[in-house]
Amino acid sequence: GKARGIPYVIDASYPQFDAVTPDFGAVNRQLATAAAEAGERVIPGPDADNGGGNYNGAPWTYAQAYTLHRPGPNAITVYVRYDSYEGGAYSLVGVSGTLVDLRTGKAVAPESVFLPASNWLRELTRIVGADISAPNLSEMLRQPNRYVFLEDHLELSFNPLEGGPYTVEIT
């Protein structure tokens, strides 16, 4: 498409879970909404610099692809990789994850994966703090989309502006 004379391209794929039981409706809506919201951000708005109507820069883009991983017999991880350019000097590249419980059809938050008495948040903050220098790291680690549960390890995802590498691997 084109908005305000600036071309944009959105190419986003995400899975849809189909089953009569359990009901995957909420997780399907969550995945679709996240892709739609990310795509909408690359449609140039009224404040976008269009070079006085003579825009000749790169198209604004949002590209998203996914893979599915099986960290256990009752779970699927939706591993999303994205690349977004919204004008300016650089693009944003990253990953996010959604852990889906195949028995309930619901997305699973990290506090439901780790044992409640295990001090998991404090331990992950300590481990990740060696690579990520963010003052609100503990709050960031409460966000479920940062957790990518893979078959043999856990990846915690951060964007480049959050004080460190894109991912921290924990085996």
Side-chain angles (χ1 to χ4, degrees), residues 59-73:
W60 292 22
T61 60
Y62 181 74
Q64 172 181 302
Y66 72 91
T67 55
L68 300 177
H69 294 270
R70 196 79 185 253

Side-chain angles (χ1 to χ4, degrees), residues 23-139:
D23 180 5
F24 288 96
V27 76
N28 285 339
R29 283 187 299 279
Q30 176 184 338
L31 294 166
T33 298
E37 289 174 353
E40 287 174 12
R41 286 193 296 272
V42 301
I43 299 174
D47 296 334
D49 181 5
N50 67 356
N54 296 312
Y55 182 82
N56 61 1
W60 292 22
T61 60
Y62 181 74
Q64 172 181 302
Y66 72 91
T67 55
L68 300 177
H69 294 270
R70 196 79 185 253
N74 297 314
I76 292 277
T77 295
V78 179
Y79 187 176
V80 173
R81 287 174 303 290
Y82 59 87
D83 186 345
S84 179
Y85 175 71
E86 302 170 26
Y90 58 90
S91 63
L92 179 63
V93 176
V95 301
S96 68
T98 302
L99 183 64
V100 180
D101 184 330
L102 296 173
R103 296 167 297 187
T104 66
K106 307 287 184 219
V108 180
E111 57 268 9
S112 297
V113 173
F114 300 107
L115 294 172
S118 67
N119 293 319
W120 64 272
L121 184 58
R122 183 175 1 162
E123 183 63 14
L124 284 178
T125 302
R126 183 189 67 74
I127 293 168
V128 174
D131 293 318
I132 304 292
S133 58
N136 60 341
L137 183 57
S138 180
E139 293 171 29

